[in-house]
Amino acid sequence: MTKPTAYNREASETQPPLNHPGYGSTAERSPGKPLVLLPHSLSEITGPLYGQDSIGPNDHDLTRQHDGEPIGQRIIVAGKVTDENGRPVPDALIEIWQCNAAGRYIHEIDQHDAPLDPNFTGAGRCVTDGEGNYRFITIEPGAYPWGNHHNAWRPKHIHFSLFGNAFVTRLITQMYFPGDPLLELDPIYLSVPDAKAREGLVCAFDLENTVPGHALAYRFDIVLRGRDQTPMVG
Amino acid sequence: MKKILTSSQTVGPFFHFGLKPIAVLSSEDIPGEKITITGAVLDGTGARVNDAMIEIWQANSRGKYDHPEDQQDRQTTPGFTGFGRVFVNGDGGFEIKTIKPGPVDWLEPGQQAPHINISLFARGVLRRMATRIYFADDPATGGDPVLNLIDGPGRRNTLLAQPVDGRPGAYTWNIVLKGEQETVFFEV
Ligand SMILES: [Fe+3]
């Protein structure tokens, strides 16, 4: 028998419901029956600690992955990964992906009528340092149209994927930009019930981290699930 | 005061170049019973979901997770993390090649039957959907404490990978996101 230290449950207003009528694709892709509450056993409090040793030198700098420089506004996106109690999450792999400045993904099924950029792939990886800090260099993504409703446009965003230390801390999210008029029209952003939690998905302009003459900067802090008791690790 | 959790958002349709598939079996030499689970992801209309990503997290053949908080007195397997990632193909199909996990400790005396922890992500899925794969032909499955949290054998059966006659180690298991045959998903 192993009684592991359980993680706190997610406050439901911080997470989108699986069925969100404004986002049409959720209708047939969300369960009709309630989720079964699972106590946290070893299977839930463990999780992949993968990727720490597989980061290449330019993986965090999306502006230097090709021979030339990508078109667009150069930006630094940096922040800190902590748990709910403010404890840093060190050595955490972060994977990001995004479209280019024109709003086009390199992905083969993206049919948006906007140019590809031969110098921009839009995928990056890094690992948080001992204090949970991370830093990417990229270009500001464009908005792009999608088929959810008439004249639907996704606000500018960067996709983020994180693992934390456990199966239950797995998170895939999107970071948005301050002042984007498309936010209040976007059913994916608006799917998060709590206004404060929604605002947590919007990065903040970060003058201190800008590089004069070179790049603007934004700060995006990420909060993963935590627990109130420290686990026993012998 | 607690910080507000970062909200989940859909993985969207364009993740395939940002995230990479990861084989659970990094080599053919990993000890254990080799298994292959094939299946498809289906939506509420019965249509195949062709843009989903499935992540796998499992113990090794001895029932040991490669993680510092697994304090069971068992050995990890060098070269086996227990993590994998597969993308469904254009027809909604997937294949998971791995080794069968061993039973792992439960919260009370006793073991959980061999199982694989699954996360599903897709366009139209706003947050990770968690489920488990069990093995219909494993004698421990019937007594599993997690399966027994689920009301009714019909629902429990949605988590059972079925052995394929005449093909040792081959199983089939579908993920049904909604409807009559809907897979059981867990709130973790
Ligand atoms: Fe996107």
Side-chain angles (χ1 to χ4, degrees), chain A residues 23-184:
Chain A
Y23 180 14
S25 304
T26 64
E28 297 295 342
R29 292 184 171 203
S30 56
K33 301 187 175 74
L35 304 180
V36 174
L37 186 70
L38 191 55
H40 291 173
S41 74
L42 267 179
S43 298
E44 285 71 39
I45 60 122
T46 60
L49 304 173
Y50 122 87
Q52 280 94 335
D53 28 71
S54 51
I55 303 293
N58 284 335
D59 282 1
H60 75 288
D61 188 345
L62 288 71
T63 67
R64 295 178 60 188
Q65 295 173 346
H66 296 272
D67 289 341
E69 287 227 54
I71 302 285
Q73 173 76 63
R74 218 180 277 121
I75 58 171
I76 291 158
V77 176
K80 195 183 187 77
V81 184
T82 63
D83 71 12
E84 298 158 275
N85 298 312
R87 293 190 196 100
V89 182
D91 305 319
L93 177 72
I94 305 179
E95 295 164 282
I96 65 168
W97 68 101
Q98 64 170 90
C99 62
N100 68 22
R104 174 85 186 264
Y105 283 94
I106 201 166
H107 196 286
E108 57 188 17
I109 64 167
D110 185 357
Q111 295 303 313
H112 179 202
D113 180 21
L116 285 168
D117 183 338
N119 291 313
F120 192 70
T121 302
R125 297 151 58 84
C126 78
V127 166
T128 58
D129 68 14
E131 276 79 54
N133 297 306
Y134 74 90
R135 186 171 182 267
F136 287 104
I137 304 167
T138 183
I139 51 110
E140 190 170 317
Y144 60 83
W146 63 308
N148 188 68
H149 55 271
H150 172 66
N151 200 17
W153 291 78
R154 289 305 324 283
K156 294 176 287 189
H157 61 276
I158 299 177
H159 296 265
F160 273 70
S161 167
L162 294 93
F163 289 89
N165 290 318
F167 181 76
V168 302
T169 55
R170 182 79 176 99
L171 176 71
I172 291 183
T173 188
Q174 301 181 26
M175 180 199 94
Y176 300 97
F177 289 85
D180 191 330
L182 293 169
L183 283 172
E184 292 308 321

Side-chain angles (χ1 to χ4, degrees), chain A residues 2 14-16 23 28-29 32 36 40-41 43-44 84 95 107 165 170 173-174 176 223 227-228, chain B residues 2-3 6-10 16 44 55 65 67 69 85 105 112 115 123-124 127 132 182 187-188:
Chain A
T2 303
T14 66
Q15 302 301 322
Y23 180 14
E28 297 295 342
R29 292 184 171 203
V36 174
H40 291 173
S41 74
S43 298
E44 285 71 39
E84 298 158 275
E95 295 164 282
H107 196 286
N165 290 318
R170 182 79 176 99
T173 188
Q174 301 181 26
Y176 300 97
V223 182
R227 36 196 176 178
D228 294 340
Chain B
K2 284 219 185 336
K3 289 174 178 271
T6 300
S7 310
S8 173
Q9 295 274 269
T10 178
H16 306 71
E55 285 184 352
Y65 286 105
H67 190 281
E69 288 187 46
R85 203 185 245 168
D105 275 5
Q112 305 182 59
H115 66 275
R123 174 180 65 81
R127 54 192 165 98
R132 286 180 169 200
E182 183 176 304
E187 176 160 347
V188 297

